[in-house]
Amino acid sequence: MLRSTTPASAYAARRARIAALLDGGALVLYGGELRTRSNDTEFRFRPDSDFHYLTGLREPGAVLVLRAHAEPRFVLFVRPRDAEAEVWSGRRVGPEGARDRFGADAAYPLGELAERLPKLLDGARSVHMPLGRWRTLDQAVLRAIDGLRRRNRWGETPPELVRDARVTLGEDRMVKDEHALASLRAAIEISGHGHRAAMAALRPGVGEHQIEALLEYEFRRRGADGPAYGTIVGGGDNACILHYVDNDDVLRDGELMLVDAGAEVDLFAGDITRTSPIGGRFSAAQRDLYDIVLAANRTGIARAEVGSDIDTIHRACLRVLCEGLAGLGLLPEGVDAALEQELYKRYYPHRTSHWLGADVHDAGHYTLQRTPRPLQPGFVLTIEPGLYIPATDDRAPAGLRGVGIRIEDDVLVRDGGPEVLTASVPKDPAAIEALVGQSPLP
Ligand SMILES: [Mn+2]
């Protein structure tokens, strides 16, 4: 069985929280549809995160209408049962199952959406929806509002306000409830198994694709939905390509392997990066660079406190990285000039943190009134400083050219100080060296 940590009551509690924020309005979400992979075959379905967050339903072609203004409150539209279609493309929950198994107060076949939506929106003060996300949903809602407006003489009262539901949902998703946290912890625990297995199987001559397969085997066999995003396994200077997902090179002695991979459980994502020496030992030059990134990682984590913000974390990490780079002779302009003129971008082009949750780059604003928002208890973010020395960098000593290192942890902001959710995955260089090559590649 796939791992699930989320009871039906958790989805009901989320719907109640969101309904209280709708101010007498209605929320309309679409779970999404199958996407073509090639010709007539499709990717495995993965529902929209907001939709799943409130329903737990994983079927394509489903619409949620959550009504704060009247009964029934929780309405689902789903594909109707169809014995023949289900033989080909899998079981469907159907309207009856939507009521019995997913707790809908009312449920109808998807084909009745256009006909029923006006009545469901009648009397709602506002409609909350992901504007512009799904053309079909936009059209259905706008038609319903327009239809109600035309019938205003007969007493129908259309919503006067359309709001972007992603703002409301994003704010709620930012503060992880106990079930979201349980899902995240499970996703991270499984991700950790994958990372440790990858380190243990690492040795020269193994293919990046084999490490990728091992990670995803660990994820799936332990009941995760699968990888939460495209697994990155980069040996040597492939580590300097930030979104390297080809994973088709061989891992060479004397080089490092960067793995950025996370499992998904109940549609919550782990997101972990570790960098390991392929031959089992960091060279002195690699170790120098590793220690700088590790110091930045630890500095960033220490700053992930209530009231801090991700700009403060980023700047604290940047200073550590720049001081380290200057110490290696890679920033002859000096630390202050490097920070001011962003000269470090040559070696560190990305930001340090993103929100983590149901989406690996999770929902929720990063700024409020254009200033970075203060961290609150329950926020989960990544701390992922890195340094990537281009293979062509003639400033760098030969032993550092083409070396890429990133160390990424997932951190829960708490009143008592940050909790590192990814603490079970080694990042101390001695601990990594002790693990690398310890078991045969299966
Ligand atoms: Mn990340």
Side-chain angles (χ1 to χ4, degrees), residues 209-228:
H209 65 288
Q210 291 173 295
I211 299 293
E212 172 194 333
L214 180 59
L215 281 154
E216 297 186 3
Y217 168 70
E218 288 294 328
F219 295 170
R220 194 69 180 154
R221 87 180 178 95
R222 292 175 187 277
D225 301 333

Side-chain angles (χ1 to χ4, degrees), residues 229 260 271-273 354 356 360-361 382 384 406 408 410:
Y229 55 93
D260 185 345
D271 185 5
I272 305 176
T273 308
H354 57 78
L356 181 68
V360 64
H361 298 159
T382 64
E384 48 179 309
R406 180 164 64 253
E408 175 179 33
D410 304 338

